[in-house]
Amino acid sequence: MIYELITDAVFPEHEIQIYKQNTIQRLLVNLRQSEFVANQQIDALLFGEDHPYGRFSRKEKIEAFSREDLLAFYSAHYNLANVKILMGGKVGDAEVKLINEVFGKTAIADRKAKPMDFSAPPKHDRVVRVNNDPNGVQGAVRIGRLFPNRHHPDYSPMVVLNTLFGGYFGSRLMRNIREDKGYTYGIHSTATPYQHGGCLIVSTEAGRDVAEAAVKETYHEMEVLCNEPAPDDELLLVKNYLLGSLLADLDGPFSILYRWRTLILNGFTEDYFNDNVRIYKTVTAKELQALAQKYYKPEEFYEVIVV
């Protein structure tokens, strides 16, 4: 069945029309939600609306989409030349033989997809404010900047710094903006790697009247990390959290498979995983402070508040 999906899907016209209608309805509902609009806006600010990572759905684009468009995309991207097959669990010779019989029975035609443009977007306004719901009581806050992907030497240390800053429940942002100020139920910072670049994004939903204050406090926590090295006990807690998360990610054959999938699709070996463990264990507070000074520059961040 999977082989047929990859090689011989037909996409009936009536099913496409139903899916388009459903997609438009979901989009119209989502556009009334400030957090959905904020996610669209921050991606477009960081990468540009014409960038593969910055595009977002519009009603008119969905309406104009045709079966021919779908078939062209399917032909370019859903072919066996682009496939890697990973197996996890109790895999033996019989299972490997079956996969080879099913997926190895046809010649592979390497149909190259049209190259995408991943160049940097033009510079534009750094701060965006959107009034999406005049009666809403919350504002969706997104603060982000571009950041290198897993292949850059700063990525793995940034995982540690980002966790300290806003990457887990005991982070600086949570303690300040949630527990001390009470502006939000939760705030989170993520370091998101893509194949062609990446980004750092702080996300929260705060009361309409304190959304701007939440932005100010976010920059304050960046400044503190730039000016003061993290205390040893706080850094040790973060390191133990990350190492524990790695252990949880390796619990069972399918979790291990997902970890290998990430390595393989990014062109890494198990050495990359081992290097990450070493960095998580040995990175120092001074090194993290220098990393904060390099990347936590308010003038390089984009801001979105949607209320």
Side-chain angles (χ1 to χ4, degrees):
M1 186 179 293
I2 295 173
Y3 174 83
E4 290 181 0
L5 286 173
I6 295 174
T7 61
D8 197 29
V10 294
F11 306 109
E13 180 66 38
H14 72 280
E15 292 186 12
I16 293 175
Q17 293 305 319
I18 293 173
Y19 185 79
K20 286 171 62 174
Q21 294 172 10
N22 292 340
T23 301
I24 290 172
Q25 288 301 314
R26 285 196 301 270
L27 177 63
L28 295 178
V29 171
N30 287 334
L31 286 173
R32 295 198 289 267
Q33 301 173 13
S34 295
E35 58 268 27
F36 181 85
V37 176
N39 288 335
Q40 288 185 327
Q41 291 291 324
I42 193 64
D43 287 345
L45 282 177
L46 290 174
F47 298 104
E49 285 193 41
D50 295 326
H51 192 283
Y53 301 153
R55 297 187 192 126
F56 55 84
S57 298
R58 297 183 184 274
K59 179 175 179 288
E60 57 271 20
K61 289 184 178 181
I62 298 172
E63 291 174 336
F65 187 75
S66 69
R67 181 173 183 269
E68 287 68 31
D69 295 326
L70 185 57
L71 287 170
F73 184 88
Y74 174 76
S75 176
H77 295 278
Y78 282 70
N79 68 80
L80 293 179
N82 296 334
V83 168
K84 287 181 172 60
I85 299 174
L86 294 89
M87 303 172 70
K90 191 176 180 181
V91 177
D93 293 340
E95 287 75 26
V96 174
K97 182 174 181 291
L98 176 61
I99 291 292
N100 281 330
E101 288 175 351
V102 173
F103 286 90
K105 63 186 178 183
T106 57
I108 293 178
D110 191 357
R111 300 184 294 273
K112 295 295 184 182
K114 181 181 178 181
M116 295 183 181
D117 182 9
F118 290 96
S119 57
K123 296 296 182 182
H124 40 67
D125 292 340
R126 193 179 64 82
V127 178
V128 171
R129 301 293 185 261
V130 178
N131 191 356
N132 190 59
D133 181 5
N135 300 316
V137 297
Q138 277 199 321
V141 178
R142 302 293 184 269
I143 306 170
R145 62 157 296 158
L146 297 178
F147 186 76
N149 62 14
R150 290 184 176 94
H151 292 269
H152 195 281
D154 287 342
Y155 179 80
S156 293
M158 177 54 79
V159 171
V160 182
L161 178 61
N162 178 75
T163 304
L164 174 71
F165 175 55
Y168 80 126
F169 195 77
S171 69
R172 298 277 182 95
L173 291 180
M174 287 289 282
R175 295 204 305 269
N176 179 345
I177 297 174
R178 180 186 187 273
E179 297 176 12
D180 182 31
K181 303 296 190 303
Y183 292 160
T184 179
Y185 286 113
I187 184 168
H188 198 73
S189 175
T190 55
T192 304
Y194 300 114
Q195 188 174 3
H196 300 275
C199 57
L200 301 173
I201 296 181
V202 176
S203 305
T204 190
E205 279 70 55
R208 188 186 187 104
D209 57 333
V210 295
E212 295 288 353
V215 171
K216 181 180 178 181
E217 291 300 323
T218 299
Y219 287 129
H220 169 71
E221 292 300 334
M222 291 184 191
E223 183 180 6
V224 172
L225 285 170
C226 290
N227 295 335
E228 303 171 9
D232 290 341
D233 57 343
E234 184 183 19
L235 182 54
L236 180 61
L237 183 64
V238 168
K239 290 180 175 183
N240 287 337
Y241 169 81
L242 287 171
L243 293 170
S245 297
L246 281 180
L247 286 175
D249 286 345
L250 298 176
D251 181 19
F254 296 112
S255 296
I256 294 173
L257 180 108
Y258 296 145
R259 177 68 61 174
W260 270 102
R261 181 184 64 181
T262 299
L263 295 175
I264 291 170
L265 294 182
N266 284 278
F268 296 129
T269 67
E270 64 267 29
D271 291 338
Y272 178 81
F273 176 84
N274 295 329
D275 287 341
N276 279 348
V277 173
R278 177 185 56 79
I279 290 170
Y280 294 170
K281 288 182 175 180
T282 62
V283 67
T284 67
K286 283 291 186 182
E287 289 171 333
L288 294 182
Q289 183 182 8
L291 195 65
Q293 293 168 351
K294 183 176 180 180
Y295 290 105
Y296 286 165
K297 299 176 180 178
E299 67 274 12
E300 295 182 1
F301 279 81
Y302 292 89
E303 299 172 21
V304 175
I305 297 181
V306 180
V307 296

